[in-house]
Amino acid sequence: MEFRDLKTQYLQHKEEIDSAMQRVVCNAQFIGGEPIRQLEEELAAYVGVKHCISCANGTDALQLALMAWGVGEGDAVFVPDFTFFSTAEVVPWVGTVPIFVDVDRDTFNLSPSALEEAVKSVLKEGRLTPKVVIAVDLFGQPADCDTIRKIAEQYGMWLLEDGAQGFAGRIGDHMACSFGDITTTSFFPAKPLGCYGDGGAVFTDHDEWAELIRSYKVHGKGEDKYDNIRIGLNSRLDTLQAAILIEKLKFLDEETERCNEAAKRYTSFLKEIVKTPIVLPDYYSSWAQYTVQFDGKEQRERAMVKLKDAGIPSMIYYKKPLHRQKAFAGLLAGQPACPITEEICDTCLSLPMHPYLKAEEIERVCDILQENL
Ligand SMILES: *Cc1c(COP(=O)(O)O)cnc(C)c1O
């Protein structure tokens, strides 16, 4: 059984994807060109945001957003304690420190009340100025961006939505990746919309930020890339990846719906034996992961071993709260406690989830869990 089955996906759409790749190779335009323009236009329309700027990966996308805002020394950037390393890694890169904030017990997403407390304590301490809050759409469910936006506005902060896992999710009719002042996503192969290598994008309605990001991603270009008016990065999406993404975007909604059906099936079998994922009313998840919680580390360990013995892959996303990562050891100042993140890290387990998961496969995973807990 595959944790995320990219092979079956390719085989189902081999013809279109092969010919899209072939066209790029025949045109021999590997950087920039029509597929990049078309993809950016289609992604912006899909999400419902004015500008989409493609870039090399989801980590660069986050960094480009912070660069466009001129975030640096003395600024506080609030980051959920329970997320992938990237979300916080970019903060020291622009010269300041992340403040890790606890998450909601049910959604695993940034807790608005913990955020407000963290902002107040930073203000009270008086060393840093609250500047940005990064809300992550963890495991596919959009963060509570309505509430978080209100807090951001109240304290004069910008909202950066990290939609690396949230692309194709939504709240009501509003698509994920449209909630931030700037939003970023990743096209890493295993993400809801994945390419065949690395890729990412930045979304915003703001014209000036979009223009700045277009400059920063190509060596701080002015008139062209040999006119350099600021220090930037080399962070382009390959044309080949754009061509693949244009094809994959066509069947993304159908795939997301299949993931939602798989999630429903899992939950109907598992809800009595583990804590199953909670999707809030009116929210639609893209199911980047299907993550359950056990009664403690030992029970989780037992489940993992039994699954593994049966040839079923499972993964712990994430084992360690970010504030405990060694890389941040010298950078933590006035770090608030994050007890819910600690608890989730000790109890969570992600099960196989993808659009091609069969009903029998889901039932097998559930049987093994049921028999062994
Ligand atoms: C994958 C991921 C990223 C980084 O994306 P890359 O394309 O791998 O650089 C950032 N944030 C979150 C939440 C992610 O899951």
Side-chain angles (χ1 to χ4, degrees):
M1 199 180 302
E2 300 282 331
F3 190 70
R4 193 132 195 124
D5 191 350
L6 299 175
K7 250 183 228 164
T8 300
Q9 181 193 58
Y10 168 65
L11 291 174
Q12 296 235 339
H13 299 277
K14 186 174 185 311
E15 236 166 85
E16 314 98 90
I17 293 174
D18 282 356
S19 68
M21 290 194 288
Q22 196 68 50
R23 279 196 300 279
V24 173
V25 176
C26 289
N27 288 335
Q29 181 163 28
F30 300 108
I31 300 289
E34 177 55 21
I36 295 284
R37 195 205 56 75
Q38 185 187 338
L39 176 71
E40 289 181 345
E41 188 182 299
E42 287 182 9
L43 291 175
Y46 182 86
V47 164
V49 165
K50 191 168 172 194
H51 302 282
C52 167
I53 304 116
S54 60
C55 65
N57 56 68
T59 310
D60 281 4
L62 289 161
Q63 185 171 339
L64 286 162
L66 297 181
M67 288 168 79
W69 284 331
V71 174
E73 206 182 330
D75 294 333
V77 179
F78 298 88
V79 181
D81 199 27
F82 189 61
T83 174
F84 181 57
F85 186 62
S86 279
T87 314
E89 182 179 23
V90 294
V91 178
W93 263 113
V94 298
T96 191
V97 290
I99 311 282
F100 296 110
V101 178
D102 213 355
V103 297
D104 181 88
R105 177 171 265 115
D106 288 338
T107 63
F108 307 144
N109 280 331
L110 187 71
S111 152
S113 59
L115 171 67
E116 187 152 26
E117 262 174 54
V119 174
K120 281 183 182 157
S121 92
V122 163
L123 285 171
K124 195 165 161 211
E125 208 195 351
R127 255 183 345 101
L128 300 169
T129 312
K131 208 48 169 290
V132 176
V133 48
I134 308 184
V136 178
D137 301 332
L138 203 75
F139 302 153
Q141 173 160 223
D144 179 2
C145 286
D146 269 356
T147 314
I148 294 167
R149 171 169 292 284
K150 287 192 189 105
I151 299 169
E153 280 171 1
Q154 186 183 344
Y155 292 96
M157 300 188 289
W158 285 306
L159 172 58
L160 173 50
E161 179 193 358
D162 178 350
Q165 302 181 14
F167 196 85
R170 57 181 191 257
I171 306 176
D173 301 331
H174 296 278
M175 297 302 291
C177 295
S178 71
F179 301 122
D181 295 301
I182 299 181
T183 296
T184 61
T185 198
S186 163
F187 305 123
F188 182 81
K191 305 283 163 142
L193 178 62
C195 63
Y196 289 176
D198 277 307
V202 183
F203 298 93
T204 185
D205 281 323
H206 196 288
D207 298 341
E208 272 165 54
W209 297 338
E211 200 181 311
L212 266 175
I213 291 165
R214 288 202 180 280
S215 165
Y216 276 128
K217 69 169 247 193
V218 185
H219 308 290
K221 73 175 169 141
E223 291 296 312
D224 58 53
K225 78 168 174 178
Y226 302 105
D227 173 35
N228 309 98
I229 58 175
R230 48 182 74 87
I231 301 298
L233 314 171
N234 172 17
S235 185
R236 290 174 299 236
L237 180 72
D238 295 351
T239 311
L240 207 47
Q241 302 301 346
I244 293 161
L245 287 167
I246 289 168
E247 295 310 315
K248 290 187 62 172
L249 187 59
K250 292 178 189 162
F251 52 84
L252 177 65
D253 285 347
E254 184 202 318
E255 286 196 340
T256 309
E257 195 44 41
R258 292 168 73 133
C259 286
N260 272 275
E261 279 156 27
K264 268 191 211 128
R265 185 172 296 265
Y266 263 132
T267 299
S268 70
F269 289 116
L270 291 177
K271 63 180 190 288
E272 311 297 337
I273 55 171
V274 291
K275 183 171 177 194
T276 48
I278 294 173
V279 178
L280 299 175
D282 220 28
Y283 281 58
Y284 183 77
S285 177
S286 63
W287 295 107
Q289 304 294 342
Y290 183 90
T291 304
V292 299
Q293 277 182 274
F294 292 88
D295 273 337
K297 263 184 167 167
E298 294 69 30
Q299 196 192 43
R300 175 176 68 180
E301 182 60 27
R302 206 159 61 235
M304 273 192 96
V305 168
K306 292 293 177 190
L307 289 171
K308 188 164 178 238
D309 289 347
I312 296 165
S314 62
M315 304 281 276
I316 300 176
Y317 295 123
Y318 297 91
K319 252 183 204 145
K320 218 192 244 194
L322 282 188
H323 79 271
R324 289 193 187 284
Q325 292 286 2
K326 189 175 168 194
F328 295 121
L331 295 170
L332 300 178
Q335 173 56 46
C338 296
I340 296 172
T341 298
E342 308 266 6
E343 185 191 308
I344 299 170
C345 287
D346 285 347
T347 55
C348 66
L349 188 69
S350 301
L351 303 176
M353 171 51 84
H354 56 80
Y356 305 96
L357 204 56
K358 298 190 189 84
E360 310 88 81
E361 292 179 308
I362 294 170
E363 282 158 34
R364 238 182 85 220
V365 175
C366 297
D367 283 347
I368 285 163
L369 292 176
Q370 188 131 38
E371 285 159 20
N372 291 288
L373 291 184

